[in-house]
C-alpha cells in the first residue's frame, strides 16, 4: 500500500511539473439589486429616496480574501507510517481597500494575478466592491488548496411599522472539475438566533453566494423570496412601535481542496455567513434574543 501511495505522490509531482495540464476554475458572484439607502445623518448623502431608517455603523467591515497553497508531495510519518501531504508556502493575495464613507459600501480586494514561483500556479481573487462580490479560484497544473471570499456587513435601524427589501442576484460556475456544478437555493434560520440567510450554493460546498439579515429586537420579522437567474430577496419588517435594530450581510465564497473531490457539507457556507453576521450583534444590543422569525417563500 505504501508503495502505491508513493507512486501516486510521484505521479502528482510529475504532473505538476508541467507535463500534465488541467485547469480548474471555481467562481461565485453576487450583484446587489438595491443597495439599501438608509439615512446617514449627513444631508449631502440623504434625500427623499432614503429608506425609513438609518445606518448604525460608519465604517463597514468590507473584506476581500484570497489565499492558496500547493501540494508538492507526501512524506511518511515515522511514528504511524501514514502518508502525510507536504504543502508549499501559504500564499496570500495582494490586498487593496478603498472608500468606507458613511453612504458607501466601500471596497476591498485580495488578488493574486500570477505565479510567485514556477511551481505555484494557483491564482484568484476575493472582492467586495460596493455592490458587487466575487470569489474566484483558478488552479493551473499543481493540486492546491485555496480559499476566496468577498463579504460585507453593516448595522441598521428601521423606523416603527416600516419595511424594506434587500435583494441581489447570485451566479456560480465550476469549470474543469470532474464533478459538475449542482446549484441549489437554501434558506436557513437555524444557524443563528433572530436571523435568516438566503444562499445559492453548490451542493458539494465549493462555491456559494448569498445575502442575510440578523434582527437584534424581537418585534421584527424577515420573509424571503427567490426568482430566476439566482434572484434572492429578504424583506425586513418592523412590527413594533419603536426602532428595530439589525444587521445586513452579503458575500461570495469559493473553496478548493487538493486531496479529494469535495464532500457535501450542508452547513459550511451557511455557518460562514451566519458567523459573519452574528459578530457584533451581542455588543450592539443587550435586548432579549428574538423569539421567532417569520420565514416564508
Amino acid at each position: 500500500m505504501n508503495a502505491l501511495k508513493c507512486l501516486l505522490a510521484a505521479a502528482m509531482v510529475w504532473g505538476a511539473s508541467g507535463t500534465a495540464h488541467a485547469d480548474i476554475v471555481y467562481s461565485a458572484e453576487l450583484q446587489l439589486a438595491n443597495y439599501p439607502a438608509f439615512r446617514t445623518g449627513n444631508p449631502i448623502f440623504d434625500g427623499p429616496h432614503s429608506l425609513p431608517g438609518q445606518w448604525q455603523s460608519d465604517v463597514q467591515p468590507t473584506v476581500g480574501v484570497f489565499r492558496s497553497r500547493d501540494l508538492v508531495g507526501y512524506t511518511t510519518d515515522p511514528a504511524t507510517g501514514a502518508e502525510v501531504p507536504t504543502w508549499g508556502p501559504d500564499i496570500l493575495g495582494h490586498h487593496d481597500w478603498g472608500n468606507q464613507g458613511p453612504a458607501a459600501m466601500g471596497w476591498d480586494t485580495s488578488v493574486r494575478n500570477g505565479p510567485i514561483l514556477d511551481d505555484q500556479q494557483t491564482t484568484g481573487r476575493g472582492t467586495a466592491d460596493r455592490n458587487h462580490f466575487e470569489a474566484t479560484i483558478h488552479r493551473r497544473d499543481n493540486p492546491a488548496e485555496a480559499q476566496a471570499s468577498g463579504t460585507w456587513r453593516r448595522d441598521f435601524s428601521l423606523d416603527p411599522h416600516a419595511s424594506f427589501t434587500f435583494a441581489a442576484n447570485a451566479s456560480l460556475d465550476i469549470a474543469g472539475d470532474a464533478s459538475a456544478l449542482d446549484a441549489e437555493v437554501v434558506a436557513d434560520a437555524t444557524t443563528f438566533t433572530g436571523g435568516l440567510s438566503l444562499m445559492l450554493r453548490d451542493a458539494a460546498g465549493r462555491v456559494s453566494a448569498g445575502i442575510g439579515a440578523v434582527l437584534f429586537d424581537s418585534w421584527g420579522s424577515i420573509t424571503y423570496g427567490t426568482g430566476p437567474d439566482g434572484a434572492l430577496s429578504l424583506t425586513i419588517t418592523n412590527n413594533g412601535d419603536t426602532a428595530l435594530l439589525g444587521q445586513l450581510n452579503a458575500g461570495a465564497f469559493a473553496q478548493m481542496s487538493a486531496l479529494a473531490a469535495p464532500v457535501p457539507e450542508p452547513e459550511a457556507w451557511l455557518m460562514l455567513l451566519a458567523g459573519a453576521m452574528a459578530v457584533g450583534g451581542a455588543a450592539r444590543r443587550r435586548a432579549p434574543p428574538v423569539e421567532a422569525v417569520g420565514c416564508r417563500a
Side-chain angles (χ1 to χ4, degrees):
M1 182 60 70
N2 284 339
L4 178 59
K5 290 181 179 179
C6 290
L7 181 61
L8 290 173
M12 293 176 69
V13 175
W14 175 76
S17 67
T19 304
H21 189 82
D23 282 15
I24 296 177
V25 180
Y26 293 175
S27 180
E29 291 191 65
L30 184 77
Q31 181 73 42
L32 293 187
N34 60 337
Y35 172 57
F38 283 116
R39 296 189 301 269
T40 66
N42 187 328
I44 296 176
F45 300 111
D46 299 338
H49 301 294
S50 295
L51 293 171
Q54 187 166 347
W55 290 120
Q56 295 296 305
S57 51
D58 292 332
V59 179
Q60 306 91 336
T62 304
V63 181
V65 174
F66 178 78
R67 64 188 307 164
S68 67
R69 60 178 184 171
D70 293 297
L71 181 66
V72 297
Y74 288 88
T75 58
T76 301
D77 187 330
T80 65
E83 297 298 317
V84 180
T86 301
W87 298 97
D90 192 346
I91 304 297
L92 300 178
H94 168 73
H95 180 75
D96 193 14
W97 65 278
N99 177 35
Q100 303 287 318
M105 177 168 286
W107 58 271
D108 186 11
T109 299
S110 178
V111 60
R112 184 181 175 198
N113 288 319
I116 295 177
L117 300 174
D118 290 342
D119 61 348
Q120 296 168 350
Q121 299 289 320
T122 305
T123 61
R125 65 188 299 116
T127 300
D129 189 356
R130 297 176 176 86
N131 62 351
H132 176 257
F133 305 84
E134 177 186 351
T136 298
I137 301 170
H138 187 177
R139 195 194 82 187
R140 301 178 179 89
D141 297 332
N142 278 14
E145 283 188 341
Q147 295 177 336
S149 63
T151 60
W152 166 87
R153 71 177 187 269
R154 193 168 185 184
D155 294 348
F156 69 92
S157 67
L158 183 63
D159 292 352
H161 305 288
S163 66
F164 73 97
T165 298
F166 187 39
N169 291 90
S171 61
L172 310 176
D173 188 53
I174 298 288
D177 201 313
S179 178
L181 173 67
D182 182 11
E184 59 183 0
V185 176
V186 178
D188 184 86
T190 61
T191 52
F192 52 94
T193 301
L196 179 67
S197 64
L198 187 61
M199 306 194 77
L200 179 68
R201 71 172 190 189
D202 170 42
R206 295 166 294 183
V207 287
S208 180
I211 55 178
V214 172
L215 303 183
F216 303 148
D217 299 300
S218 60
W219 48 89
S221 63
I222 309 172
T223 58
Y224 71 90
T226 62
D229 301 322
L232 310 172
S233 66
L234 297 174
T235 298
I236 294 90
T237 301
N238 183 353
N239 302 302
D241 296 325
T242 57
L244 171 72
L245 293 188
Q247 186 180 90
L248 299 178
N249 187 282
F253 309 90
Q255 178 169 286
M256 182 175 291
S257 172
L259 303 180
V263 177
E265 298 179 10
E267 304 301 327
W269 296 116
L270 293 172
M271 287 297 290
L272 279 176
L273 188 60
M277 291 191 300
V279 171
R284 295 291 304 172
R285 297 288 290 176
R286 291 190 175 90
V290 176
E291 295 180 357
V293 176
C295 302
R296 56 177 175 83

